[in-house]
Every structure is written in C-alpha cells, then in structure tokens.
Amino acid sequence: MYYLIMCLFRFKWKGHIWPAMFVILLNNLQSYLVRNELNMDNVSPLITIIVFILFFAAVVRMPVVLSVIATVSGYVIFAAVQTALVFLLFGSLTAVNENLYRGYLLQTATAIVIVASFWLLYRKGKGFTFDLDKLRLKLEDIVLTVLIVVFLLAISVLLLFNNLLVNIVFFLVMSAFLLYYSTKKEQEDA
C-alpha cells in the first residue's frame, strides 16, 4: 500500500523507505494482535489507515488533506485489486480462509499486481501531482473528510458481512469516486 500511494501521488518512494518499513512492521504487528488475539477483524483496517495517514502527514510531509485522500485512495485501490484477485483465483473469501497458504498466495499475487502496475504507471509519468501549498481546508475538503470518515466506518461494517460481491462493488465505486476527485483537483490546480 505504501508503494501504491507513493507512486500514485508521484512521491519518491525510496526517500522514505526506512521509516515506511518501520510503519509497515508496526501495522503488521497491530494487525496480527487485533485480528488473532482480540478477534476484532473489522477494526484492524481502520487502525492501518489511521497509522498511514499519520505517517504520510508526519514523515512524508503531505498536507493532512492530501494524506487522508492518498491513504484512503490507496487503501481502496489495494482492496479492489485484492478483492478481484480473491474472486479470480479462489472464487470466494471462504476458500482463502480455509487454507493458510492461499492467504499467502493472495498476498503475494496482490503485491505482484500492484508493484508491477504502479511501477509502470510511475515510469510513464502517470499519477497525481498537487501544489501542496494550495491544499487548505475549505468547505469541499470538510465534506470530503466527512465522506472519508463514513467510508472508514463502512469498511468495518462491510468486513463483518464478508460478502465478496458487495465488497467488489463498494471498493470499485469508492476507487472511481476518489480517482475522479483527485483528477478534478489536479485539473483545478493546473
């Protein structure tokens, strides 16, 4: 997800690799503890998103608005790709959960698809660039922030139901909205 976000928003991913590795390790640890020890599977993605928002704002020095947009956009794209791979490779989430190795295969396939796709996009000069000084909170940004909070809550509810087709539709709609919004903001900045 780190690589996806950095490439999508045209930041130099190598410049922050060591702090990112620490944050990724921290997220993996919290995910394991929250999922396996506390049995709160639907809370872990929320914590991951919040940690990444803080990381992008504090370490990468993105404005908070861009940090939120980038993290949620990245998470949605990551989830859409992974959900599509679940459907294509295994047919259902239950099939993945039945075998530990299928989970590892899913994570590996997701990483290959995302790294290859976003490496290619980055190399071709595609992605979003923003004038970071112009990103200030306005009414539109406040509305977007509220929508993102609603999205974060919806993720938790969605993960409770475990319906693969609903997940695909939800993540695709959110991806389309966030990519449209990012494109619109970039055109306004140009």
Side-chain angles (χ1 to χ4, degrees):
M1 196 166 92
Y2 166 77
Y3 184 77
L4 182 159
I5 292 167
M6 294 296 278
C7 289
L8 182 64
F9 288 90
R10 307 286 305 152
F11 284 90
K12 293 180 179 162
W13 65 272
K14 289 180 186 176
H16 304 285
I17 193 69
W18 292 112
M21 294 300 281
F22 177 74
V23 168
I24 291 166
L25 181 64
L26 205 63
N27 268 332
N28 289 339
L29 181 61
Q30 74 77 19
S31 179
Y32 175 80
L33 292 174
V34 170
R35 290 175 192 269
N36 295 336
E37 299 300 320
L38 301 175
N39 293 323
M40 298 173 63
D41 294 355
N42 57 330
V43 175
S44 181
L46 217 52
I47 296 170
T48 298
I49 289 170
I50 291 168
V51 169
F52 268 117
I53 288 170
L54 295 173
F55 168 76
F56 287 123
V59 176
V60 180
R61 307 299 244 170
M62 289 181 188
V64 175
V65 172
L66 180 58
S67 178
V68 171
I69 292 169
T71 302
V72 173
S73 298
Y75 186 84
V76 167
I77 293 168
F78 181 89
V81 168
Q82 192 163 62
T83 303
L85 286 172
V86 165
F87 186 71
L88 292 171
L89 297 175
F90 305 107
S92 73
L93 196 55
T94 306
V96 175
N97 290 335
E98 288 174 354
N99 186 326
L100 182 63
Y101 295 107
R102 289 181 184 166
Y104 292 136
L105 178 62
L106 175 63
Q107 292 293 9
T108 303
T110 304
I112 290 169
V113 168
I114 284 176
V115 169
S117 301
F118 284 88
W119 176 83
L120 186 63
L121 287 173
Y122 191 82
R123 296 284 293 168
K124 289 188 174 220
K126 303 295 181 192
F128 300 104
T129 56
F130 292 93
D131 181 358
L132 299 181
D133 295 329
K134 289 185 178 180
L135 284 176
R136 293 188 182 95
L137 285 177
K138 298 177 272 189
L139 180 61
E140 177 184 358
D141 295 326
I142 293 169
V143 169
L144 180 67
T145 304
V146 169
L147 284 173
I148 288 171
V149 168
V150 168
F151 162 76
L152 294 174
L153 295 173
I155 286 175
S156 297
V157 172
L158 252 172
L159 293 175
L160 282 174
F161 291 117
N162 252 354
N163 186 325
L164 194 58
L165 292 176
V166 172
N167 288 357
I168 290 172
V169 170
F170 178 77
F171 288 126
L172 287 176
V173 167
M174 283 303 298
S175 293
F177 168 75
L178 290 168
L179 290 174
Y180 167 77
Y181 181 80
S182 296
T183 302
K184 185 178 138 213
K185 287 298 274 183
E186 183 178 43
Q187 288 171 351
E188 287 175 4
D189 287 348

